[in-house]
Amino acid sequence: SDSSSSGSSSDDSSSSDSTSSSDDSSSDDKDYELIILNEDDDYCVGVDGGKQKEDRKLELVKCDEDDDDQLWYIDSRGRVEAKEDGDLCWNPHRIKEGSSIRLEECGGS
């Protein structure tokens, strides 16, 4: 009886530890980087108007690794998250030929 009660209390503490540590690592450990679109490293994905805001169109711009508006994080589902506003994403899997790509809320992509 004693071993089952101590087992459940240790189980509770380990489950709460794993929840809090995964929350901390998911927001702090993202590796934002340029998305380079040609072999010469000249052109990257940027944002029309130079600010990552909802409904802004993406465009090709001269690569600048110091420009946060050109830095992106690709999550496990393939969505691309904006560095300037982590609630905004674009989904390369939804791109259709000839259509413009816009930043939208991550929950919707």
Side-chain angles (χ1 to χ4, degrees):
S1 170
D2 287 340
S3 67
S4 68
S5 73
S6 72
S8 70
S9 91
S10 102
D11 190 28
D12 288 344
S13 68
S14 69
S15 101
S16 69
D17 283 348
S18 68
T19 303
S20 66
S21 69
S22 71
D23 284 347
D24 292 342
S25 67
S26 67
S27 62
D28 295 333
D29 293 340
K30 292 181 179 175
D31 185 22
Y32 291 91
E33 56 194 356
L34 295 170
I35 297 177
I36 302 169
L37 296 178
N38 69 344
E39 293 176 11
D40 298 327
D41 298 344
D42 290 341
Y43 291 96
C44 294
V45 175
V47 183
D48 183 36
K51 289 286 182 195
Q52 293 176 338
K53 292 184 178 179
E54 188 169 4
D55 205 38
R56 287 277 172 100
K57 286 194 285 186
L58 301 183
E59 62 183 6
L60 293 180
V61 296
K62 196 82 165 150
C63 294
D64 179 358
E65 63 188 20
D66 295 324
D67 184 353
D68 283 351
D69 293 318
Q70 294 181 32
L71 297 176
W72 309 94
Y73 170 75
I74 302 172
D75 73 11
S76 61
R77 292 189 275 175
R79 292 182 310 184
V80 182
E81 179 183 300
K83 181 174 185 183
E84 287 286 293
D85 184 342
D87 293 330
L88 296 177
C89 294
W90 57 280
N91 191 333
H93 303 291
R94 294 179 26 186
I95 298 172
K96 295 178 183 167
E97 186 175 338
S99 66
S100 62
I101 308 161
R102 295 181 181 271
L103 284 175
E104 57 189 33
E105 286 188 30
C106 293
S109 45

